[in-house]
Amino acid sequence: MSAFVAASRPITGRFVLICLVLFFGMIIGVNIVMVKFALETLPGVEVDSPYTASLAYGNEIEAARGQSGRGWKVSAHVERDAAGDAAVRVEARDRNGNPIAGLTFTGRLERPADRRADRPVELVRAGGVLYRGKVAELAPGLWDLVLEGEAGGQRMFLSKNRLVLK
């Protein structure tokens, strides 16, 4: 019969210290990598300065009341073709159905989750109540269409609508 004798080394303070340093070093390293990836992929902010946005909130309420009082009827349609280009069509009428004089529209297609993918839309008056714009190579998915109408250097209309492009 042969006996199996295991040669074991005693656990010393140096061995425990090395194990603890390696364990916590690995945890800290993984945390640093995860924080780096999180900050690069999604900034997580809706506005640059929440304090400034809160101060402007009262002005936004007054502008919304003024816009509602004008009774304008503004409709928008976005259609994406097979090449990935999106055509934006906006119709703007006053409460009586007539074209709104002196109004210029600007637009943006915004990604709800990533502001870095936002795309401006140049809207050009196409006669009467119609404005048209085009965005090249627009990715499919969830978008917000933000329309702003200005007259005399003052914003008269603001609209934000969520849409899904296929």
Side-chain angles (χ1 to χ4, degrees), residues 20-59:
L20 284 173
V21 168
L22 288 175
F23 174 76
F24 285 109
M26 187 177 352
I27 298 291
I28 291 170
V30 168
N31 283 341
I32 289 171
V33 169
M34 297 300 279
V35 166
K36 179 182 176 286
F37 286 150
L39 291 176
E40 287 178 353
T41 56
L42 183 62
V45 294
E46 177 72 22
V47 294
D48 293 328
S49 171
Y51 177 71
T52 305
S54 70
L55 292 177
Y57 189 66
N59 295 336

PDB file of all heavy atoms in Angstrom, residues 20-59:
ATOM      1  N   LEU A  20      -5.962  39.425  -1.854  1.00  0.00           N
ATOM      2  CA  LEU A  20      -6.865  40.569  -1.664  1.00  0.00           C
ATOM      3  C   LEU A  20      -6.572  41.671  -2.679  1.00  0.00           C
ATOM      4  O   LEU A  20      -7.496  42.254  -3.272  1.00  0.00           O
ATOM      5  CB  LEU A  20      -6.760  41.119  -0.250  1.00  0.00           C
ATOM      6  CG  LEU A  20      -7.443  40.297   0.839  1.00  0.00           C
ATOM      7  CD1 LEU A  20      -7.127  40.864   2.217  1.00  0.00           C
ATOM      8  CD2 LEU A  20      -8.939  40.284   0.608  1.00  0.00           C
ATOM      9  N   VAL A  21      -5.302  41.975  -2.897  1.00  0.00           N
ATOM     10  CA  VAL A  21      -4.942  43.017  -3.863  1.00  0.00           C
ATOM     11  C   VAL A  21      -5.384  42.611  -5.268  1.00  0.00           C
ATOM     12  O   VAL A  21      -5.953  43.424  -6.011  1.00  0.00           O
ATOM     13  CB  VAL A  21      -3.429  43.311  -3.797  1.00  0.00           C
ATOM     14  CG1 VAL A  21      -2.984  44.167  -4.979  1.00  0.00           C
ATOM     15  CG2 VAL A  21      -3.075  43.992  -2.493  1.00  0.00           C
ATOM     16  N   LEU A  22      -5.149  41.357  -5.662  1.00  0.00           N
ATOM     17  CA  LEU A  22      -5.578  40.892  -6.986  1.00  0.00           C
ATOM     18  C   LEU A  22      -7.102  40.912  -7.124  1.00  0.00           C
ATOM     19  O   LEU A  22      -7.640  41.338  -8.153  1.00  0.00           O
ATOM     20  CB  LEU A  22      -5.047  39.483  -7.253  1.00  0.00           C
ATOM     21  CG  LEU A  22      -3.546  39.374  -7.519  1.00  0.00           C
ATOM     22  CD1 LEU A  22      -3.140  37.913  -7.642  1.00  0.00           C
ATOM     23  CD2 LEU A  22      -3.177  40.144  -8.772  1.00  0.00           C
ATOM     24  N   PHE A  23      -7.822  40.486  -6.115  1.00  0.00           N
ATOM     25  CA  PHE A  23      -9.280  40.457  -6.158  1.00  0.00           C
ATOM     26  C   PHE A  23      -9.855  41.870  -6.320  1.00  0.00           C
ATOM     27  O   PHE A  23     -10.628  42.141  -7.238  1.00  0.00           O
ATOM     28  CB  PHE A  23      -9.837  39.795  -4.891  1.00  0.00           C
ATOM     29  CG  PHE A  23     -11.325  39.844  -4.795  1.00  0.00           C
ATOM     30  CD1 PHE A  23     -12.116  38.989  -5.555  1.00  0.00           C
ATOM     31  CD2 PHE A  23     -11.949  40.760  -3.955  1.00  0.00           C
ATOM     32  CE1 PHE A  23     -13.493  39.039  -5.480  1.00  0.00           C
ATOM     33  CE2 PHE A  23     -13.326  40.806  -3.879  1.00  0.00           C
ATOM     34  CZ  PHE A  23     -14.102  39.950  -4.639  1.00  0.00           C
ATOM     35  N   PHE A  24      -9.479  42.795  -5.441  1.00  0.00           N
ATOM     36  CA  PHE A  24     -10.026  44.144  -5.515  1.00  0.00           C
ATOM     37  C   PHE A  24      -9.496  44.911  -6.722  1.00  0.00           C
ATOM     38  O   PHE A  24     -10.191  45.762  -7.284  1.00  0.00           O
ATOM     39  CB  PHE A  24      -9.775  44.902  -4.212  1.00  0.00           C
ATOM     40  CG  PHE A  24     -10.674  44.456  -3.101  1.00  0.00           C
ATOM     41  CD1 PHE A  24     -10.174  43.733  -2.031  1.00  0.00           C
ATOM     42  CD2 PHE A  24     -12.028  44.720  -3.142  1.00  0.00           C
ATOM     43  CE1 PHE A  24     -11.008  43.309  -1.016  1.00  0.00           C
ATOM     44  CE2 PHE A  24     -12.873  44.303  -2.135  1.00  0.00           C
ATOM     45  CZ  PHE A  24     -12.363  43.587  -1.064  1.00  0.00           C
ATOM     46  N   GLY A  25      -8.270  44.605  -7.161  1.00  0.00           N
ATOM     47  CA  GLY A  25      -7.741  45.222  -8.373  1.00  0.00           C
ATOM     48  C   GLY A  25      -8.558  44.835  -9.595  1.00  0.00           C
ATOM     49  O   GLY A  25      -8.842  45.668 -10.460  1.00  0.00           O
ATOM     50  N   MET A  26      -8.974  43.574  -9.663  1.00  0.00           N
ATOM     51  CA  MET A  26      -9.796  43.123 -10.772  1.00  0.00           C
ATOM     52  C   MET A  26     -11.175  43.787 -10.718  1.00  0.00           C
ATOM     53  O   MET A  26     -11.690  44.225 -11.750  1.00  0.00           O
ATOM     54  CB  MET A  26      -9.952  41.603 -10.739  1.00  0.00           C
ATOM     55  CG  MET A  26     -10.646  41.073 -11.962  1.00  0.00           C
ATOM     56  SD  MET A  26     -10.842  39.279 -12.100  1.00  0.00           S
ATOM     57  CE  MET A  26      -9.936  38.592 -10.799  1.00  0.00           C
ATOM     58  N   ILE A  27     -11.759  43.888  -9.550  1.00  0.00           N
ATOM     59  CA  ILE A  27     -13.080  44.535  -9.408  1.00  0.00           C
ATOM     60  C   ILE A  27     -13.000  45.996  -9.839  1.00  0.00           C
ATOM     61  O   ILE A  27     -13.842  46.482 -10.603  1.00  0.00           O
ATOM     62  CB  ILE A  27     -13.577  44.436  -7.946  1.00  0.00           C
ATOM     63  CG1 ILE A  27     -13.763  42.984  -7.521  1.00  0.00           C
ATOM     64  CG2 ILE A  27     -14.847  45.255  -7.740  1.00  0.00           C
ATOM     65  CD1 ILE A  27     -14.897  42.280  -8.198  1.00  0.00           C
ATOM     66  N   ILE A  28     -11.991  46.716  -9.379  1.00  0.00           N
ATOM     67  CA  ILE A  28     -11.837  48.133  -9.727  1.00  0.00           C
ATOM     68  C   ILE A  28     -11.584  48.278 -11.227  1.00  0.00           C
ATOM     69  O   ILE A  28     -12.140  49.169 -11.879  1.00  0.00           O
ATOM     70  CB  ILE A  28     -10.718  48.772  -8.881  1.00  0.00           C
ATOM     71  CG1 ILE A  28     -11.177  48.867  -7.425  1.00  0.00           C
ATOM     72  CG2 ILE A  28     -10.336  50.147  -9.413  1.00  0.00           C
ATOM     73  CD1 ILE A  28     -10.084  49.250  -6.452  1.00  0.00           C
ATOM     74  N   GLY A  29     -10.771  47.414 -11.806  1.00  0.00           N
ATOM     75  CA  GLY A  29     -10.501  47.474 -13.241  1.00  0.00           C
ATOM     76  C   GLY A  29     -11.755  47.272 -14.081  1.00  0.00           C
ATOM     77  O   GLY A  29     -11.993  48.005 -15.044  1.00  0.00           O
ATOM     78  N   VAL A  30     -12.571  46.293 -13.725  1.00  0.00           N
ATOM     79  CA  VAL A  30     -13.819  46.051 -14.456  1.00  0.00           C
ATOM     80  C   VAL A  30     -14.762  47.240 -14.297  1.00  0.00           C
ATOM     81  O   VAL A  30     -15.417  47.660 -15.259  1.00  0.00           O
ATOM     82  CB  VAL A  30     -14.480  44.731 -13.980  1.00  0.00           C
ATOM     83  CG1 VAL A  30     -15.894  44.609 -14.512  1.00  0.00           C
ATOM     84  CG2 VAL A  30     -13.644  43.542 -14.403  1.00  0.00           C
ATOM     85  N   ASN A  31     -14.843  47.823 -13.114  1.00  0.00           N
ATOM     86  CA  ASN A  31     -15.704  48.996 -12.903  1.00  0.00           C
ATOM     87  C   ASN A  31     -15.262  50.171 -13.759  1.00  0.00           C
ATOM     88  O   ASN A  31     -16.097  50.886 -14.330  1.00  0.00           O
ATOM     89  CB  ASN A  31     -15.724  49.388 -11.427  1.00  0.00           C
ATOM     90  CG  ASN A  31     -16.596  48.486 -10.603  1.00  0.00           C
ATOM     91  OD1 ASN A  31     -17.457  47.789 -11.121  1.00  0.00           O
ATOM     92  ND2 ASN A  31     -16.365  48.476  -9.296  1.00  0.00           N
ATOM     93  N   ILE A  32     -13.964  50.400 -13.862  1.00  0.00           N
ATOM     94  CA  ILE A  32     -13.463  51.507 -14.683  1.00  0.00           C
ATOM     95  C   ILE A  32     -13.826  51.288 -16.149  1.00  0.00           C
ATOM     96  O   ILE A  32     -14.277  52.216 -16.828  1.00  0.00           O
ATOM     97  CB  ILE A  32     -11.932  51.659 -14.491  1.00  0.00           C
ATOM     98  CG1 ILE A  32     -11.642  52.220 -13.093  1.00  0.00           C
ATOM     99  CG2 ILE A  32     -11.323  52.555 -15.565  1.00  0.00           C
ATOM    100  CD1 ILE A  32     -10.183  52.218 -12.717  1.00  0.00           C
ATOM    101  N   VAL A  33     -13.663  50.078 -16.645  1.00  0.00           N
ATOM    102  CA  VAL A  33     -14.016  49.780 -18.034  1.00  0.00           C
ATOM    103  C   VAL A  33     -15.514  49.971 -18.261  1.00  0.00           C
ATOM    104  O   VAL A  33     -15.936  50.559 -19.269  1.00  0.00           O
ATOM    105  CB  VAL A  33     -13.578  48.344 -18.407  1.00  0.00           C
ATOM    106  CG1 VAL A  33     -14.160  47.919 -19.747  1.00  0.00           C
ATOM    107  CG2 VAL A  33     -12.061  48.253 -18.430  1.00  0.00           C
ATOM    108  N   MET A  34     -16.360  49.527 -17.344  1.00  0.00           N
ATOM    109  CA  MET A  34     -17.815  49.664 -17.501  1.00  0.00           C
ATOM    110  C   MET A  34     -18.248  51.135 -17.472  1.00  0.00           C
ATOM    111  O   MET A  34     -19.123  51.539 -18.240  1.00  0.00           O
ATOM    112  CB  MET A  34     -18.545  48.870 -16.420  1.00  0.00           C
ATOM    113  CG  MET A  34     -18.296  47.363 -16.502  1.00  0.00           C
ATOM    114  SD  MET A  34     -18.829  46.658 -18.052  1.00  0.00           S
ATOM    115  CE  MET A  34     -20.553  46.489 -17.728  1.00  0.00           C
ATOM    116  N   VAL A  35     -17.656  51.933 -16.597  1.00  0.00           N
ATOM    117  CA  VAL A  35     -17.981  53.361 -16.543  1.00  0.00           C
ATOM    118  C   VAL A  35     -17.576  54.031 -17.847  1.00  0.00           C
ATOM    119  O   VAL A  35     -18.322  54.863 -18.395  1.00  0.00           O
ATOM    120  CB  VAL A  35     -17.309  54.029 -15.330  1.00  0.00           C
ATOM    121  CG1 VAL A  35     -17.349  55.539 -15.449  1.00  0.00           C
ATOM    122  CG2 VAL A  35     -17.973  53.587 -14.046  1.00  0.00           C
ATOM    123  N   LYS A  36     -16.423  53.683 -18.384  1.00  0.00           N
ATOM    124  CA  LYS A  36     -15.960  54.258 -19.651  1.00  0.00           C
ATOM    125  C   LYS A  36     -16.945  53.930 -20.774  1.00  0.00           C
ATOM    126  O   LYS A  36     -17.340  54.814 -21.533  1.00  0.00           O
ATOM    127  CB  LYS A  36     -14.573  53.721 -19.979  1.00  0.00           C
ATOM    128  CG  LYS A  36     -14.005  54.232 -21.283  1.00  0.00           C
ATOM    129  CD  LYS A  36     -12.641  53.612 -21.545  1.00  0.00           C
ATOM    130  CE  LYS A  36     -12.080  54.025 -22.868  1.00  0.00           C
ATOM    131  NZ  LYS A  36     -12.710  53.400 -23.996  1.00  0.00           N
ATOM    132  N   PHE A  37     -17.362  52.673 -20.880  1.00  0.00           N
ATOM    133  CA  PHE A  37     -18.323  52.297 -21.915  1.00  0.00           C
ATOM    134  C   PHE A  37     -19.675  52.996 -21.719  1.00  0.00           C
ATOM    135  O   PHE A  37     -20.313  53.422 -22.671  1.00  0.00           O
ATOM    136  CB  PHE A  37     -18.537  50.787 -21.942  1.00  0.00           C
ATOM    137  CG  PHE A  37     -17.391  50.020 -22.547  1.00  0.00           C
ATOM    138  CD1 PHE A  37     -17.116  48.740 -22.135  1.00  0.00           C
ATOM    139  CD2 PHE A  37     -16.592  50.579 -23.529  1.00  0.00           C
ATOM    140  CE1 PHE A  37     -16.074  48.022 -22.680  1.00  0.00           C
ATOM    141  CE2 PHE A  37     -15.546  49.879 -24.086  1.00  0.00           C
ATOM    142  CZ  PHE A  37     -15.279  48.591 -23.663  1.00  0.00           C
ATOM    143  N   ALA A  38     -20.121  53.124 -20.491  1.00  0.00           N
ATOM    144  CA  ALA A  38     -21.413  53.764 -20.224  1.00  0.00           C
ATOM    145  C   ALA A  38     -21.398  55.239 -20.613  1.00  0.00           C
ATOM    146  O   ALA A  38     -22.360  55.748 -21.193  1.00  0.00           O
ATOM    147  CB  ALA A  38     -21.775  53.613 -18.749  1.00  0.00           C
ATOM    148  N   LEU A  39     -20.335  55.934 -20.330  1.00  0.00           N
ATOM    149  CA  LEU A  39     -20.261  57.352 -20.655  1.00  0.00           C
ATOM    150  C   LEU A  39     -20.101  57.596 -22.150  1.00  0.00           C
ATOM    151  O   LEU A  39     -20.567  58.603 -22.666  1.00  0.00           O
ATOM    152  CB  LEU A  39     -19.113  58.012 -19.892  1.00  0.00           C
ATOM    153  CG  LEU A  39     -19.310  58.117 -18.385  1.00  0.00           C
ATOM    154  CD1 LEU A  39     -18.064  58.694 -17.732  1.00  0.00           C
ATOM    155  CD2 LEU A  39     -20.526  58.949 -18.049  1.00  0.00           C
ATOM    156  N   GLU A  40     -19.468  56.681 -22.861  1.00  0.00           N
ATOM    157  CA  GLU A  40     -19.290  56.851 -24.296  1.00  0.00           C
ATOM    158  C   GLU A  40     -20.548  56.517 -25.087  1.00  0.00           C
ATOM    159  O   GLU A  40     -20.770  57.084 -26.148  1.00  0.00           O
ATOM    160  CB  GLU A  40     -18.144  55.973 -24.793  1.00  0.00           C
ATOM    161  CG  GLU A  40     -16.781  56.483 -24.392  1.00  0.00           C
ATOM    162  CD  GLU A  40     -15.657  55.567 -24.863  1.00  0.00           C
ATOM    163  OE1 GLU A  40     -15.965  54.476 -25.388  1.00  0.00           O
ATOM    164  OE2 GLU A  40     -14.501  55.953 -24.684  1.00  0.00           O
ATOM    165  N   THR A  41     -21.384  55.633 -24.595  1.00  0.00           N
ATOM    166  CA  THR A  41     -22.539  55.207 -25.373  1.00  0.00           C
ATOM    167  C   THR A  41     -23.769  56.066 -25.156  1.00  0.00           C
ATOM    168  O   THR A  41     -24.515  56.310 -26.088  1.00  0.00           O
ATOM    169  CB  THR A  41     -22.914  53.747 -25.058  1.00  0.00           C
ATOM    170  OG1 THR A  41     -23.142  53.607 -23.668  1.00  0.00           O
ATOM    171  CG2 THR A  41     -21.811  52.812 -25.486  1.00  0.00           C
ATOM    172  N   LEU A  42     -24.032  56.536 -23.968  1.00  0.00           N
ATOM    173  CA  LEU A  42     -25.247  57.291 -23.701  1.00  0.00           C
ATOM    174  C   LEU A  42     -24.944  58.411 -22.715  1.00  0.00           C
ATOM    175  O   LEU A  42     -24.665  58.159 -21.551  1.00  0.00           O
ATOM    176  CB  LEU A  42     -26.331  56.369 -23.122  1.00  0.00           C
ATOM    177  CG  LEU A  42     -27.683  56.991 -22.846  1.00  0.00           C
ATOM    178  CD1 LEU A  42     -28.291  57.503 -24.146  1.00  0.00           C
ATOM    179  CD2 LEU A  42     -28.606  55.990 -22.216  1.00  0.00           C
ATOM    180  N   PRO A  43     -24.997  59.671 -23.178  1.00  0.00           N
ATOM    181  CA  PRO A  43     -24.686  60.765 -22.268  1.00  0.00           C
ATOM    182  C   PRO A  43     -25.715  60.933 -21.155  1.00  0.00           C
ATOM    183  O   PRO A  43     -25.382  61.396 -20.081  1.00  0.00           O
ATOM    184  CB  PRO A  43     -24.635  61.989 -23.177  1.00  0.00           C
ATOM    185  CG  PRO A  43     -25.421  61.616 -24.375  1.00  0.00           C
ATOM    186  CD  PRO A  43     -25.314  60.123 -24.513  1.00  0.00           C
ATOM    187  N   GLY A  44     -26.982  60.581 -21.410  1.00  0.00           N
ATOM    188  CA  GLY A  44     -27.992  60.577 -20.361  1.00  0.00           C
ATOM    189  C   GLY A  44     -28.533  61.936 -19.968  1.00  0.00           C
ATOM    190  O   GLY A  44     -29.107  62.078 -18.907  1.00  0.00           O
ATOM    191  N   VAL A  45     -28.378  62.960 -20.799  1.00  0.00           N
ATOM    192  CA  VAL A  45     -28.895  64.278 -20.456  1.00  0.00           C
ATOM    193  C   VAL A  45     -29.918  64.717 -21.490  1.00  0.00           C
ATOM    194  O   VAL A  45     -29.770  64.483 -22.680  1.00  0.00           O
ATOM    195  CB  VAL A  45     -27.770  65.336 -20.346  1.00  0.00           C
ATOM    196  CG1 VAL A  45     -26.857  65.030 -19.186  1.00  0.00           C
ATOM    197  CG2 VAL A  45     -26.978  65.445 -21.606  1.00  0.00           C
ATOM    198  N   GLU A  46     -30.963  65.349 -21.042  1.00  0.00           N
ATOM    199  CA  GLU A  46     -31.979  65.914 -21.931  1.00  0.00           C
ATOM    200  C   GLU A  46     -31.662  67.378 -22.227  1.00  0.00           C
ATOM    201  O   GLU A  46     -31.842  67.854 -23.330  1.00  0.00           O
ATOM    202  CB  GLU A  46     -33.361  65.781 -21.279  1.00  0.00           C
ATOM    203  CG  GLU A  46     -34.493  66.383 -22.065  1.00  0.00           C
ATOM    204  CD  GLU A  46     -34.855  65.586 -23.306  1.00  0.00           C
ATOM    205  OE1 GLU A  46     -34.559  64.394 -23.384  1.00  0.00           O
ATOM    206  OE2 GLU A  46     -35.429  66.192 -24.219  1.00  0.00           O
ATOM    207  N   VAL A  47     -31.208  68.099 -21.214  1.00  0.00           N
ATOM    208  CA  VAL A  47     -30.822  69.505 -21.372  1.00  0.00           C
ATOM    209  C   VAL A  47     -29.418  69.683 -20.801  1.00  0.00           C
ATOM    210  O   VAL A  47     -28.997  68.950 -19.918  1.00  0.00           O
ATOM    211  CB  VAL A  47     -31.811  70.459 -20.666  1.00  0.00           C
ATOM    212  CG1 VAL A  47     -33.166  70.421 -21.333  1.00  0.00           C
ATOM    213  CG2 VAL A  47     -31.934  70.157 -19.209  1.00  0.00           C
ATOM    214  N   ASP A  48     -28.713  70.683 -21.311  1.00  0.00           N
ATOM    215  CA  ASP A  48     -27.353  70.912 -20.839  1.00  0.00           C
ATOM    216  C   ASP A  48     -27.329  71.474 -19.419  1.00  0.00           C
ATOM    217  O   ASP A  48     -26.464  71.139 -18.632  1.00  0.00           O
ATOM    218  CB  ASP A  48     -26.612  71.858 -21.787  1.00  0.00           C
ATOM    219  CG  ASP A  48     -26.375  71.216 -23.146  1.00  0.00           C
ATOM    220  OD1 ASP A  48     -26.202  69.984 -23.181  1.00  0.00           O
ATOM    221  OD2 ASP A  48     -26.369  71.939 -24.148  1.00  0.00           O
ATOM    222  N   SER A  49     -28.279  72.345 -19.099  1.00  0.00           N
ATOM    223  CA  SER A  49     -28.322  72.946 -17.776  1.00  0.00           C
ATOM    224  C   SER A  49     -29.753  72.904 -17.239  1.00  0.00           C
ATOM    225  O   SER A  49     -30.597  73.706 -17.657  1.00  0.00           O
ATOM    226  CB  SER A  49     -27.837  74.405 -17.837  1.00  0.00           C
ATOM    227  OG  SER A  49     -28.072  75.041 -16.603  1.00  0.00           O
ATOM    228  N   PRO A  50     -30.050  71.996 -16.322  1.00  0.00           N
ATOM    229  CA  PRO A  50     -31.408  71.934 -15.775  1.00  0.00           C
ATOM    230  C   PRO A  50     -31.829  73.231 -15.080  1.00  0.00           C
ATOM    231  O   PRO A  50     -32.999  73.599 -15.116  1.00  0.00           O
ATOM    232  CB  PRO A  50     -31.337  70.783 -14.772  1.00  0.00           C
ATOM    233  CG  PRO A  50     -30.182  69.971 -15.189  1.00  0.00           C
ATOM    234  CD  PRO A  50     -29.207  70.921 -15.817  1.00  0.00           C
ATOM    235  N   TYR A  51     -30.899  73.943 -14.466  1.00  0.00           N
ATOM    236  CA  TYR A  51     -31.226  75.191 -13.784  1.00  0.00           C
ATOM    237  C   TYR A  51     -31.722  76.236 -14.785  1.00  0.00           C
ATOM    238  O   TYR A  51     -32.753  76.871 -14.581  1.00  0.00           O
ATOM    239  CB  TYR A  51     -30.002  75.707 -13.031  1.00  0.00           C
ATOM    240  CG  TYR A  51     -30.245  77.030 -12.354  1.00  0.00           C
ATOM    241  CD1 TYR A  51     -31.076  77.125 -11.244  1.00  0.00           C
ATOM    242  CD2 TYR A  51     -29.671  78.196 -12.844  1.00  0.00           C
ATOM    243  CE1 TYR A  51     -31.317  78.336 -10.636  1.00  0.00           C
ATOM    244  CE2 TYR A  51     -29.905  79.411 -12.241  1.00  0.00           C
ATOM    245  CZ  TYR A  51     -30.729  79.479 -11.129  1.00  0.00           C
ATOM    246  OH  TYR A  51     -30.966  80.682 -10.541  1.00  0.00           O
ATOM    247  N   THR A  52     -31.001  76.398 -15.902  1.00  0.00           N
ATOM    248  CA  THR A  52     -31.408  77.362 -16.922  1.00  0.00           C
ATOM    249  C   THR A  52     -32.750  76.953 -17.531  1.00  0.00           C
ATOM    250  O   THR A  52     -33.597  77.805 -17.800  1.00  0.00           O
ATOM    251  CB  THR A  52     -30.337  77.443 -18.017  1.00  0.00           C
ATOM    252  OG1 THR A  52     -29.082  77.748 -17.408  1.00  0.00           O
ATOM    253  CG2 THR A  52     -30.664  78.499 -19.034  1.00  0.00           C
ATOM    254  N   ALA A  53     -32.937  75.655 -17.745  1.00  0.00           N
ATOM    255  CA  ALA A  53     -34.207  75.177 -18.298  1.00  0.00           C
ATOM    256  C   ALA A  53     -35.362  75.464 -17.354  1.00  0.00           C
ATOM    257  O   ALA A  53     -36.461  75.807 -17.785  1.00  0.00           O
ATOM    258  CB  ALA A  53     -34.120  73.688 -18.591  1.00  0.00           C
ATOM    259  N   SER A  54     -35.130  75.333 -16.055  1.00  0.00           N
ATOM    260  CA  SER A  54     -36.209  75.611 -15.101  1.00  0.00           C
ATOM    261  C   SER A  54     -36.561  77.093 -15.063  1.00  0.00           C
ATOM    262  O   SER A  54     -37.723  77.448 -14.870  1.00  0.00           O
ATOM    263  CB  SER A  54     -35.822  75.114 -13.708  1.00  0.00           C
ATOM    264  OG  SER A  54     -34.784  75.913 -13.161  1.00  0.00           O
ATOM    265  N   LEU A  55     -35.581  77.960 -15.254  1.00  0.00           N
ATOM    266  CA  LEU A  55     -35.867  79.399 -15.287  1.00  0.00           C
ATOM    267  C   LEU A  55     -36.681  79.782 -16.527  1.00  0.00           C
ATOM    268  O   LEU A  55     -37.509  80.693 -16.471  1.00  0.00           O
ATOM    269  CB  LEU A  55     -34.563  80.198 -15.258  1.00  0.00           C
ATOM    270  CG  LEU A  55     -33.764  80.122 -13.962  1.00  0.00           C
ATOM    271  CD1 LEU A  55     -32.465  80.901 -14.103  1.00  0.00           C
ATOM    272  CD2 LEU A  55     -34.566  80.637 -12.787  1.00  0.00           C
ATOM    273  N   ALA A  56     -36.457  79.091 -17.640  1.00  0.00           N
ATOM    274  CA  ALA A  56     -37.170  79.398 -18.878  1.00  0.00           C
ATOM    275  C   ALA A  56     -38.545  78.736 -18.949  1.00  0.00           C
ATOM    276  O   ALA A  56     -39.294  78.986 -19.888  1.00  0.00           O
ATOM    277  CB  ALA A  56     -36.326  78.957 -20.068  1.00  0.00           C
ATOM    278  N   TYR A  57     -38.892  77.920 -17.963  1.00  0.00           N
ATOM    279  CA  TYR A  57     -40.141  77.165 -18.001  1.00  0.00           C
ATOM    280  C   TYR A  57     -41.375  78.071 -18.040  1.00  0.00           C
ATOM    281  O   TYR A  57     -42.333  77.813 -18.776  1.00  0.00           O
ATOM    282  CB  TYR A  57     -40.208  76.218 -16.807  1.00  0.00           C
ATOM    283  CG  TYR A  57     -41.341  75.237 -16.869  1.00  0.00           C
ATOM    284  CD1 TYR A  57     -41.377  74.257 -17.848  1.00  0.00           C
ATOM    285  CD2 TYR A  57     -42.388  75.285 -15.957  1.00  0.00           C
ATOM    286  CE1 TYR A  57     -42.415  73.350 -17.913  1.00  0.00           C
ATOM    287  CE2 TYR A  57     -43.432  74.384 -16.026  1.00  0.00           C
ATOM    288  CZ  TYR A  57     -43.436  73.424 -16.993  1.00  0.00           C
ATOM    289  OH  TYR A  57     -44.468  72.529 -17.070  1.00  0.00           O
ATOM    290  N   GLY A  58     -41.364  79.152 -17.295  1.00  0.00           N
ATOM    291  CA  GLY A  58     -42.489  80.097 -17.296  1.00  0.00           C
ATOM    292  C   GLY A  58     -42.704  80.717 -18.666  1.00  0.00           C
ATOM    293  O   GLY A  58     -43.855  80.887 -19.115  1.00  0.00           O
ATOM    294  N   ASN A  59     -41.618  81.057 -19.348  1.00  0.00           N
ATOM    295  CA  ASN A  59     -41.731  81.612 -20.699  1.00  0.00           C
ATOM    296  C   ASN A  59     -42.306  80.584 -21.672  1.00  0.00           C
ATOM    297  O   ASN A  59     -43.064  80.943 -22.576  1.00  0.00           O
ATOM    298  CB  ASN A  59     -40.366  82.088 -21.199  1.00  0.00           C
ATOM    299  CG  ASN A  59     -39.837  83.241 -20.378  1.00  0.00           C
ATOM    300  OD1 ASN A  59     -40.600  83.977 -19.753  1.00  0.00           O
ATOM    301  ND2 ASN A  59     -38.523  83.394 -20.364  1.00  0.00           N
TER     302      ASN A  59
END
